[in-house]
Amino acid sequence: MMPLIYGEPGKQYEIVSIFGGRGLAKKLLEMGIRPGEIIKIVSNSFGGPILLAINNSRIGIGRGMAGKIIIKPLERRD
Amino acid sequence: MKLKEKTEIKKVALAGNPNSGKSTIFNALTGGHAHVGNWPGVTVERKDGEFEYKGKTFIVTDLPGTYSLTSYSIDERIARDFIVKERPDVVVSIIDSTNIKRNLYHTISLIELGANVIIDLNMADILEQKKIKIDTKKMEELLGVPVVLTSGTKGFGLDELKNKIADYEDYKRMPFKVEYGDDIEKSIKNIEMMINGIKTKYSKRFLSIKLLEGDTEIIEELKDAGYEEAVDFALRETAKLEKKFSIDVETEIVEKRYGIIESIVHQCVSKKKTIEEKLSKSDRIDRVITNKWLGIPIFAFMMWLTFQLTFKAGGFIADYIDLFFGWVSSLSSDWLSMLGAPQWVSSLVSDGIIGGIGSVIVFLPNIMILFLILSFLEDVGYMARAAFIMDRIMHAIGLPGKAFIPMLLGFGCNVPAIMSARTISSERDRLLTILINPFMSCSARLPVYLLFTGIFFKRNQGLVIFSLYVFGILVAVLSARLFKSIIPKLKGPVSPLVMELPPYRLPSIKGVLIHMWERSSQFLKKAGTIIFAGVIIVWLLASFPLGVEYASSKSFIGQLGLFLAPLFKPAGFPFWQASVALLFGIIAKEIVVGTFGTLFGGSEKLSIALPKYFTQLSALSFMVMSLLYIPCIASIGVIYRETNSLKWTIFSVVYSILVGWVSAVIIYQIAIIIV
């Protein structure tokens, strides 16, 4: 498990939990970013915001906030 | 009157997430004929249209795209108020079928609000591609509302949608309720009892849930209506729940809704397991465009290209317009003197009106091309990326990435740009965004640059103009840093970025052209009204008192200019015409050019007249001054309306004049030393 900021571009992860102030956590939830969802990192450049793909939408998340989203790598089933 | 009574009029609202294809459905239903206005009291765009079906008339209102009906932003409040206050007969909940969970969250909020919902599973054409099947019958059963599959872009399912809208009264809706679990339900019951006597337009249950969620808008509304007791009771109820069960009630409520949604999706949607999805085309583009090394250079290149196109292509057409007005001006003066009109009439018409307006209209091609490119970038989906790419840099300035969109729009016109700051939810970030916006060089300032660079910087016109834009950005950035560090109200952390980026799509030529025309026509309207009035005032002041030579230093305007001129001595343009032009530029920046046009007798004569007064250096400092001081009356008005504060409005005006003057002086003085 790790914060979203360490996610590698092109890889898939599962959201484990979200820490955040009240308003923020709720806003993320309402935008569909919530524990249990599978995400894919589209781009993650150091210092900048992170672009992730989730359920067919693309959402940009600032670094500060990305630090509060905990993810775990998705195990590949071949 | 009689005719109207014959057909029934029904109100239909379209609601849904951003990017759910709402506007394509709106266009498909109404044939694209929209009445565009503003929501009462606010400046968010409102679109209404209508269609007829089965002998009834339906008025369709496109609600702002939102993720929920919590009152975070003005958009969400508008959507909620419309449904509660105007009570549309039908609310079509438009869902992106490929992103069903999040979209259903919005639908459920609508049903909870008590709207007559029809679910429109839009973008259904992509379902097959993605090997997804949706059981609409099952969904109808579970949610108790009609469900239709459509594709706004491919045009299928629309007749069925119209049918369901027309027959909404015959549909037997089943009551649908989200169960929030014993603990929360108990609190809901308690609050419902407490607010039993309250008069409200919301349902008791909805109100109770919102109170538990701590919805600030609802709390304020109730407090204002004198129900503070009920609010306190609800807050205690929330605190009790959180203490007893150590849960965050707000999050718990959201999760419960998602719980229901997951069960609905589980029962209605079957998705063939596909192997790890490949990156879509859009993602592959994003990997390049939002790349850490390439993102900003690409963005800078795009901007550079935009300006090059604007000036090269626009300038070509502008030359012909210039010739045309010169011809009309001399023709009209010949014609009027032939008719025996007095000298002053001929002067008013050819020098004043045609000369003044002509010198502004000349720039219409440039402005149209600039708007065309900005509209294209917006419709293609690049604008949102620009905000994303700039987030890091914007943070360094003390602003969120989202604040970059108002800055970009400022290149078109500061008025809508300042309004667009409304999407920023943090009050502090919004105020700062508004205060620095006037330094973004709007298209009205472009004529000034074009005029001066066309005469004084023929060789590197594009480069000089580009530098002016960059300089404007620089001043905006430095001002933001300054304000952030010395004004207590603006200190504090920047609100974090969370924004959806729309998929890239090739916009229709028609769409972009309409978008461009909506904006350019405002410029034309301004040329016909404010600028027209402005140049007539300039002409009047230049012609009186009676007997003075037109536009001489003895005229009223000359006196006024002579009074102000010494102020600009250190900036290198201490002659009265320049002061007058700047003064009238406050009405609208284009008038700076119009004034020179009027004072020197027409736009075609400017290239001879101006070099007599300006040098290359003072032309530069004059352009810097024009760039930075107050954009125009309209922008002052919108700053006042948006900040709702006279103090900040005056601050903005005074600050911009000071910064403009100081910069012009410094640049001129330094340039003199260097050259």
Side-chain angles (χ1 to χ4, degrees):
Chain A
M1 288 205 287
M2 59 191 178
L4 178 58
I5 39 174
Y6 298 118
E8 283 172 56
K11 290 203 174 151
Q12 289 191 312
Y13 298 89
E14 183 186 329
I15 299 176
V16 180
S17 58
I18 296 171
F19 302 101
R22 284 181 156 241
L24 282 182
K26 188 175 177 192
K27 193 173 175 199
L28 286 174
L29 291 177
E30 290 183 339
M31 286 180 84
I33 299 171
R34 39 186 225 104
E37 292 288 346
I38 308 297
I39 58 164
K40 175 184 249 166
I41 315 275
V42 177
S43 80
N44 178 6
S45 47
F46 295 97
I50 291 160
L51 179 58
L52 50 90
I54 177 168
N55 285 325
N56 211 38
S57 64
R58 304 291 175 266
I59 293 174
I61 295 182
R63 263 198 124 57
M65 206 163 191
K68 293 173 185 156
I69 300 173
I70 307 299
I71 54 172
K72 67 172 187 205
L74 206 63
E75 283 159 41
R76 270 177 188 265
R77 273 171 296 170
D78 292 308
Chain B
M1 291 293 274
K2 278 274 150 61
L3 263 172
K4 277 236 163 114
E5 278 163 30
K6 268 189 196 163
T7 55
E8 264 184 277
I9 295 178
K10 297 284 177 196
K11 281 197 270 185
V12 180
L14 304 185
N17 280 183
N19 308 314
S20 56
K22 239 158 30 72
S23 41
T24 40
I25 292 288
F26 178 86
N27 290 339
L29 285 177
T30 61
H33 301 294
H35 167 75
V36 180
N38 283 334
W39 291 94
V42 295
T43 39
V44 177
E45 192 180 85
R46 169 177 177 158
K47 254 181 9 185
D48 292 299
E50 57 174 71
F51 70 91
E52 278 180 32
Y53 196 76
K54 290 189 172 171
K56 291 182 201 162
T57 304
F58 297 90
I59 296 182
V60 187
T61 306
D62 195 8
L63 298 178
T66 61
Y67 297 105
S68 73
L69 296 170
T70 324
S71 52
Y72 282 130
S73 67
I74 212 141
D75 287 356
E76 293 174 5
R77 222 170 298 155
I78 288 169
R80 189 162 87 187
D81 280 354
F82 184 83
I83 293 165
V84 176
K85 289 180 184 150
E86 302 206 22
R87 298 222 151 264
D89 298 282
V90 181
V91 177
V92 181
S93 167
I94 296 168
I95 286 181
D96 171 0
S97 304
T98 61
N99 190 1
I100 201 159
K101 266 192 244 168
R102 187 185 79 190
N103 282 258
L104 270 179
Y105 184 87
H106 187 267
T107 311
I108 284 190
S109 316
L110 288 170
I111 298 177
E112 277 197 316
L113 189 58
N116 274 332
V117 173
I118 292 178
I119 294 178
D120 174 1
L121 295 168
N122 194 26
M123 304 191 181
D125 53 309
I126 311 174
L127 289 177
E128 215 163 301
Q129 244 179 53
K130 300 224 166 200
K131 298 208 162 61
I132 302 173
K133 274 208 178 94
I134 302 180
D135 185 346
T136 52
K137 276 268 154 344
K138 189 85 199 167
M139 194 179 276
E140 285 201 13
E141 260 172 51
L142 292 172
L143 283 163
V145 298
V147 179
V148 197
L149 278 167
T150 64
S151 162
T153 45
K154 295 265 152 54
F156 78 74
L158 293 164
D159 282 325
E160 203 195 334
L161 177 61
K162 284 184 182 175
N163 239 325
K164 298 245 159 142
I165 294 174
D167 297 341
Y168 79 96
E169 278 164 314
D170 305 331
Y171 188 86
K172 278 193 78 184
R173 275 160 206 282
M174 307 290 282
F176 170 82
K177 202 168 100 178
V178 179
E179 289 287 343
Y180 289 101
D182 293 344
D183 302 322
I184 296 177
E185 283 295 336
K186 212 174 120 198
S187 285
I188 293 176
K189 287 267 147 49
N190 288 343
I191 300 173
E192 275 183 315
M193 297 241 278
M194 178 67 192
I195 59 174
N196 207 14
I198 285 179
K199 265 189 140 177
T200 164
K201 44 193 192 301
Y202 303 102
S203 78
K204 297 281 180 298
R205 185 176 168 82
F206 178 81
L207 208 57
S208 308
I209 296 168
K210 285 292 147 189
L211 282 172
L212 276 179
E213 279 184 280
D215 188 303
T216 43
E217 180 87 352
I218 296 269
I219 289 175
E220 283 305 312
E221 257 182 72
L222 284 180
K223 273 189 181 164
D224 287 347
Y227 298 120
E228 260 171 68
E229 224 175 298
V231 172
D232 287 343
F233 180 81
L235 292 180
R236 277 202 302 277
E237 221 29 75
T238 311
K240 217 163 72 187
L241 275 176
E242 296 197 342
K243 208 169 163 194
K244 195 166 167 193
F245 306 102
S246 67
I247 48 163
D248 175 5
V249 177
E250 204 181 343
T251 322
E252 188 64 21
I253 289 177
V254 177
E255 276 303 333
K256 285 285 189 239
R257 289 190 195 124
Y258 269 118
I260 302 258
I261 291 166
E262 298 223 306
S263 120
I264 293 169
V265 169
H266 184 74
Q267 294 177 65
C268 308
V269 182
S270 64
K271 189 180 178 186
K272 280 219 182 111
K273 278 264 187 274
T274 47
I275 316 156
E276 187 175 315
E277 278 175 62
K278 276 191 198 145
L279 280 177
S280 69
K281 207 189 270 171
S282 186
D283 289 337
R284 281 201 299 269
I285 299 173
D286 269 336
R287 299 202 92 164
V288 179
I289 282 187
T290 64
N291 180 281
K292 65 173 160 174
W293 304 114
L294 298 174
I296 291 168
I298 290 175
F299 172 72
F301 175 73
M302 297 273 249
M303 289 299 110
W304 177 82
L305 199 66
T306 305
F307 293 116
Q308 285 297 321
L309 278 171
T310 304
F311 309 127
K312 291 272 153 65
F316 177 73
I317 312 167
D319 288 344
Y320 287 96
I321 299 182
D322 202 17
L323 280 175
F324 172 76
F325 273 99
W327 174 71
V328 173
S329 170
S330 62
L331 196 73
S332 70
S333 110
D334 291 351
W335 191 62
L336 283 167
S337 57
M338 212 171 71
L339 282 176
Q343 174 61 33
W344 69 268
V345 172
S346 136
S347 162
L348 171 65
V349 173
S350 51
D351 294 339
I353 298 174
I354 299 176
I357 301 259
S359 46
V360 175
I361 296 289
V362 164
F363 304 103
L364 186 65
N366 298 93
I367 282 158
M368 281 174 76
I369 291 171
L370 180 64
F371 279 138
L372 183 73
I373 299 173
L374 287 182
S375 300
F376 177 78
L377 289 179
E378 196 172 349
D379 293 354
V380 119
Y382 187 73
M383 283 291 204
R385 267 77 186 178
F388 178 84
I389 295 164
M390 295 304 286
D391 188 63
R392 181 166 36 155
I393 294 176
M394 294 299 285
H395 262 262
I397 301 166
L399 280 170
K402 258 190 185 173
F404 195 67
I405 292 175
M407 287 176 79
L408 258 185
L409 290 179
F411 289 141
C413 174
N414 298 113
V415 173
I418 288 168
M419 287 177 184
S420 73
R422 282 177 174 248
T423 54
I424 299 166
S425 44
S426 151
E427 204 47 44
R428 183 173 53 221
D429 294 341
R430 194 167 85 94
L431 181 60
L432 189 55
T433 307
I434 290 173
L435 289 176
I436 63 166
N437 199 276
F439 298 120
M440 304 311 291
S441 183
C442 70
S443 57
R445 278 166 256 190
L446 189 54
V448 184
Y449 310 152
L450 287 170
L451 174 69
F452 279 87
T453 53
I455 296 169
F456 298 97
F457 298 92
K458 275 199 186 109
R459 286 256 179 102
N460 32 25
Q461 193 176 8
L463 181 72
V464 171
I465 295 179
F466 185 70
S467 316
L468 280 163
Y469 277 86
V470 172
F471 186 65
I473 299 172
L474 202 68
V475 171
V477 167
L478 293 176
S479 302
R481 297 280 320 186
L482 181 72
F483 296 165
K484 192 102 187 156
S485 58
I486 60 169
I487 300 174
K489 204 189 164 189
L490 296 172
K491 282 182 189 168
V494 180
S495 58
L497 169 97
V498 188
M499 71 183 297
E500 186 167 0
L501 305 183
Y504 289 103
R505 53 185 138 216
L506 207 57
S508 70
I509 296 171
K510 193 182 156 199
V512 175
L513 285 178
I514 289 174
H515 214 149
M516 180 268 286
W517 180 244
E518 279 169 2
R519 291 168 173 178
S520 313
S521 61
Q522 280 171 358
F523 172 81
L524 266 184
K525 254 186 231 156
K526 209 158 90 178
T529 53
I530 299 179
I531 297 173
F532 183 77
V535 295
I536 288 186
I537 294 171
V538 173
W539 180 85
L540 279 173
L541 291 173
S543 307
F544 290 96
L546 279 173
V548 298
E549 193 191 334
Y550 173 73
S552 69
S553 58
K554 291 206 178 68
S555 62
F556 283 138
I557 210 167
Q559 303 282 319
L560 195 62
L562 281 173
F563 175 73
L564 290 172
L567 281 177
F568 296 106
K569 189 153 194 287
F573 43 91
F575 42 91
W576 64 270
Q577 290 93 334
S579 312
V580 167
L582 288 174
L583 187 64
F584 284 95
I586 298 174
I587 302 173
K589 278 276 163 81
E590 298 94 331
I591 293 183
V592 170
V593 173
T595 307
F596 281 127
T598 308
L599 293 179
F600 294 121
S603 51
E604 78 282 9
K605 291 183 192 131
L606 288 177
S607 54
I608 305 157
L610 285 177
K612 288 182 192 153
Y613 293 88
F614 285 95
T615 63
Q616 219 177 18
L617 298 182
S618 61
L620 186 66
S621 74
F622 184 81
M623 285 192 285
V624 168
M625 180 71 198
S626 302
L627 160 68
L628 298 176
Y629 85 105
I630 325 167
C632 61
I633 287 179
S635 70
I636 299 174
V638 80
I639 290 173
Y640 176 67
R641 205 171 48 185
E642 296 293 306
T643 57
N644 204 12
S645 148
L646 196 62
K647 196 183 83 188
W648 287 115
T649 313
I650 293 171
F651 171 79
S652 161
V653 168
V654 173
Y655 179 79
S656 75
I657 293 174
L658 276 178
V659 166
W661 186 82
V662 169
S663 309
V665 169
I666 291 177
I667 284 175
Y668 184 70
Q669 295 299 337
I670 290 179
I672 280 184
I673 296 166
I674 296 173
V675 178

